[in-house]
Amino acid sequence: MAVFIAERPPAAPGITTEPARPVAETPLAIASRAAASPAAAAMPASAIPSAGTPVALSAGPAAWHSPPPSRPRRASGRRFVLDLALVLVALVAIWWSVVLVLAPEPFLLPGPDRVVLALIRRWGDLWPNALVTLTEILIGLVTGIVAGVATALFMGYVPAASRVVTPFVVVLQSMPVFAIAPVLVLWFGFGLASKIVMATVIIFFPVASAFHDGIERTDPGLLDLARLYGAGRARTLALIQVPAALPALVTGLRMAAAVAPIGAIVGEWVGASSGLGLIMMHANARMQTDVMFAALALVVAMAVILRLAADLLADRLLPWLDETDR
């Protein structure tokens, strides 16, 4: 809890003084002192020398000793679920209204009831293929995040390397997935490998670019403080720049969770022996639009679950920030 600090005032009636109480610090402030000097990291905040003798006013006007009200933290996951539920209800209502008013052929636009029935009737076929697609997405997500974080850390540790790595990353991201999917299937086969590689390529860019941007935007004052106390490059990166870049990393993870299914589905469209993408291709060829929508609903559910996982990870990585600051 933060308290207001003031220089020791002259003695006056009705105002008493007491020894200063420790001031709460954020993890980034603690990390900055640790990067500057391990001895400084072990010192409490109240023991750090400062101009004058700080004291806490224990009497007088309420504004002198009452801490400012803290902003209530909001559960990002719950708010996202509520917003998503409202949007889905609105979309289903619009969808059903269009079907009732325009009465299109079922193979053009099936109603929500037909999609639910197809999901129930074909569950025995959809569920095993959904597990295959989910496996491809999860493995690609992990490998893409690891590769993106490692690349951002390398560019942060060796700033000169960013001039070489950044153009390569941009060129890799600018290539359309549909253009490289046939080549990847040709190289890695029709199994999981080609889909994992495609998912990794798609996830890699948002994670690497967001995390590296956060590292580069670290407060210059903290970096100057670390250099002033002789902190090395590795210590500065680990204890100052990485904690400062965690909000940007969380942003990259949220983007990666949203686009994670794209690589797996596109790879299954190009060539696969199982997966929801293959189910969609067969259903489209047979004009079973309700089955295709049912498979698509499962893909959307996977993306939503991954996004919720990213929000929970944000609460773990950034416990000291309010939702409005993330």
Side-chain angles (χ1 to χ4, degrees), residues 76 250 253-255 257 305-315:
S76 57
V250 170
L253 294 179
R254 287 170 172 167
M255 295 174 59
I305 293 173
L306 291 176
R307 172 57 192 272
L308 290 175
D311 288 336
L312 293 177
L313 183 61
D315 294 335

Side-chain angles (χ1 to χ4, degrees), residues 193-275:
S194 58
K195 289 72 179 177
I196 292 173
V197 172
M198 272 182 279
T200 301
V201 170
I202 292 177
I203 295 166
F204 167 79
F205 179 77
V207 175
S209 60
F211 194 29
H212 179 253
D213 186 66
I215 291 175
E216 291 295 314
R217 293 178 181 272
T218 305
D219 185 1
L222 295 176
L223 300 179
D224 292 339
L225 179 64
R227 284 193 292 267
L228 179 64
Y229 282 92
R233 182 63 186 165
R235 182 180 290 272
T236 302
L237 177 65
L239 298 181
I240 293 182
Q241 291 180 283
V242 169
L246 286 180
L249 176 60
V250 170
T251 300
L253 294 179
R254 287 170 172 167
M255 295 174 59
V259 301
I262 296 177
I265 295 300
V266 170
E268 291 172 354
W269 285 349
V270 174
S273 57
S274 59

Side-chain angles (χ1 to χ4, degrees), residues 56-73:
L57 300 179
S58 59
W64 290 1
H65 57 82
S66 298
S70 58
R71 289 178 294 176
R73 293 190 58 185

Side-chain angles (χ1 to χ4, degrees), residues 97-166:
S97 301
V98 171
V99 172
L100 292 177
V101 172
L102 301 181
E105 295 294 334
F107 69 88
L108 292 177
L109 181 63
D113 55 336
R114 288 179 174 270
V115 175
V116 173
L117 289 177
L119 186 61
I120 296 174
R121 294 172 180 173
R122 298 289 299 270
W123 183 252
D125 188 24
L126 291 172
W127 175 245
N129 289 278
L131 288 179
V132 174
T133 302
L134 181 61
T135 302
E136 297 167 353
I137 293 173
L138 292 179
I139 298 178
L141 187 64
V142 172
T143 54
I145 291 174
V146 171
V149 170
T151 302
L153 291 176
F154 175 71
M155 291 190 293
Y157 185 74
V158 185
S162 62
R163 293 195 295 267
V164 178
V165 178
T166 301

